[in-house]
Amino acid sequence: FLGSQYKIPKEYICMTSGAEEAVRIVLSNSPLSGLNFTPTWGLAPIFNDLYAKIHTQISVDILDDSFDYNVQRLEKLIHAHQLVYLASPNAFTGNIIDRSIIKQFLKQFSNTTFVIDETYYQFNNYNTVIDLVPKYKNLIVVRSYSKAHGLAADRFGFYATSNKSFIDLRPANPCSQSTVAKVIDSYNNVHKSVSLIKKGKKVMEEELSKSAKVFRTKGNFVVCEFKQDLYDKMIKIADFHTFDIDGCKFIKFTALPKNLAEEFIKDLDA
């Protein structure tokens, strides 16, 4: 099913117990050196610390109303690393790395493995590089079903690669038949789910922008500058994260469908 869904050979798809296991498997394949941006999905740098003898991190750049990867700095460092982990979109800052740049790096650095985590790709208008997997053996694409598909509790994910050394690492039985059925069924509703969340996200961003600087992201979450009064209000009504980049502090929280987003705004103003 997944092979036909993404138009790649089914033997290239390695199902895992969530995207977390997928990232752990590929990052633990004895790399001598690992490279990632920071902040990023929480366990990626931890896995690089555990398994890579050399671990390099690059700070995400803060732009006027968004975030960005410093591609020039990344390019200078790639040659010295066996494995590069890039979340596109980033799990904290919601920025991406362009497909054209990924293709350039895959050609330019054929001895480096690029792990592209596309957990939030549905919120980036479904832009993906998974179709490049058959062509480039140094590409691994990670997917999760916990966000747009709403199957976090079912712990399903996969990584796709044409590199046999990583294919051979796939788990024998990562999920139950009932989970597989849910995964297949989730494709019937994923576009509607993403659309509802995007509409709610817009409502939340417009309201928050009245009192705090909001940053553009390509994820199912909202990011704004840290303000103590906002923090004090939110801690009573919602789960959220805070993170720092070069001394600047930000608040990140999950976007909601429009009807729930409107309730959230009312609670925030109460």
Side-chain angles (χ1 to χ4, degrees), residues 138-173:
N138 58 331
L139 171 64
I140 300 173
V141 175
V142 173
R143 288 284 181 84
S144 168
Y145 284 73
S146 66
K147 309 304 178 187
H149 289 264
L151 296 176
D154 293 282
R155 307 302 303 145
F156 182 83
F158 71 83
Y159 64 92
T161 181
S162 57
N163 188 325
K164 190 175 185 301
S165 64
F166 286 97
I167 292 173
D168 290 344
L169 296 173
R170 77 172 107 199
N173 295 295

Side-chain angles (χ1 to χ4, degrees), residues 4-268:
S4 61
Q5 188 74 29
Y6 299 113
K7 297 179 174 59
I8 61 175
K10 64 180 181 180
E11 58 268 25
Y12 292 168
I13 293 178
C14 307
M15 295 188 297
T16 58
S17 179
E20 176 183 327
E21 183 179 44
V23 175
R24 179 187 60 77
I25 288 171
V26 298
L27 295 191
S28 65
N29 191 24
S30 302
L32 294 176
S33 51
L35 173 65
N36 62 262
F37 278 90
T38 184
T40 190
W41 177 67
L43 289 178
I46 292 174
F47 290 150
N48 265 336
D49 269 341
L50 282 173
Y51 301 116
K53 292 183 179 179
I54 299 171
H55 177 204
T56 304
Q57 298 196 87
I58 307 171
S59 288
V60 171
D61 286 344
I62 306 170
L63 304 183
D64 182 50
D65 65 346
S66 62
F67 303 91
D68 199 13
Y69 289 138
N70 188 324
V71 175
Q72 289 75 26
R73 189 174 178 201
L74 173 63
E75 185 174 10
K76 290 178 181 178
L77 293 172
I78 290 174
H79 73 279
H81 295 83
Q82 288 183 312
L83 188 146
V84 176
Y85 170 88
L86 296 167
S88 184
N90 185 296
F92 273 86
T93 53
N95 60 291
I96 63 167
I97 184 163
D98 288 342
R99 175 187 170 93
S100 60
I101 293 172
I102 294 173
K103 285 184 70 174
Q104 173 195 326
F105 286 167
L106 289 168
K107 295 176 183 177
Q108 186 178 350
F109 302 100
S110 58
N111 292 324
T112 298
T113 298
F114 292 85
V115 180
I116 310 300
D117 188 337
E118 294 187 340
T119 292
Y120 295 92
Y121 92 105
Q122 295 95 339
F123 300 93
N124 182 31
N125 298 320
Y126 296 87
N127 289 311
T128 178
V129 293
I130 200 167
D131 58 297
L132 301 178
V133 163
K135 186 174 182 179
Y136 297 99
K137 291 189 180 298
N138 58 331
L139 171 64
I140 300 173
V141 175
V142 173
R143 288 284 181 84
S144 168
Y145 284 73
S146 66
K147 309 304 178 187
H149 289 264
L151 296 176
D154 293 282
R155 307 302 303 145
F156 182 83
F158 71 83
Y159 64 92
T161 181
S162 57
N163 188 325
K164 190 175 185 301
S165 64
F166 286 97
I167 292 173
D168 290 344
L169 296 173
R170 77 172 107 199
N173 295 295
C175 58
S176 66
Q177 288 298 315
S178 62
T179 296
V180 172
K182 288 181 182 179
V183 168
I184 294 172
D185 184 62
S186 71
Y187 279 87
N188 296 321
N189 302 308
V190 65
H191 289 279
K192 181 179 180 181
S193 172
V194 170
S195 177
L196 288 172
I197 292 172
K198 281 186 173 182
K199 289 176 181 177
K201 178 180 176 179
K202 184 177 180 182
V203 169
M204 297 168 81
E205 288 179 332
E206 288 177 350
E207 184 64 27
L208 281 167
S209 66
K210 297 174 183 177
S211 57
K213 185 173 184 177
V214 174
F215 289 77
R216 292 183 290 112
T217 67
K218 295 182 181 293
N220 68 335
F221 49 82
V222 176
V223 174
C224 66
E225 64 178 328
F226 180 92
K227 287 206 167 184
Q228 189 63 51
D229 57 341
L230 177 62
Y231 176 91
D232 292 341
K233 289 180 181 178
M234 287 191 61
I235 203 167
K236 300 174 183 177
I237 63 171
D239 291 328
F240 61 93
H241 298 277
T242 61
F243 64 93
D244 294 83
I245 301 176
D246 297 333
C248 298
K249 198 168 183 178
F250 304 91
I251 297 175
K252 172 206 165 188
F253 51 96
T254 302
L256 302 168
K258 188 176 179 181
N259 61 323
L260 296 178
E262 290 169 346
E263 288 183 22
F264 169 83
I265 296 302
K266 288 179 182 177
D267 290 342
L268 197 61

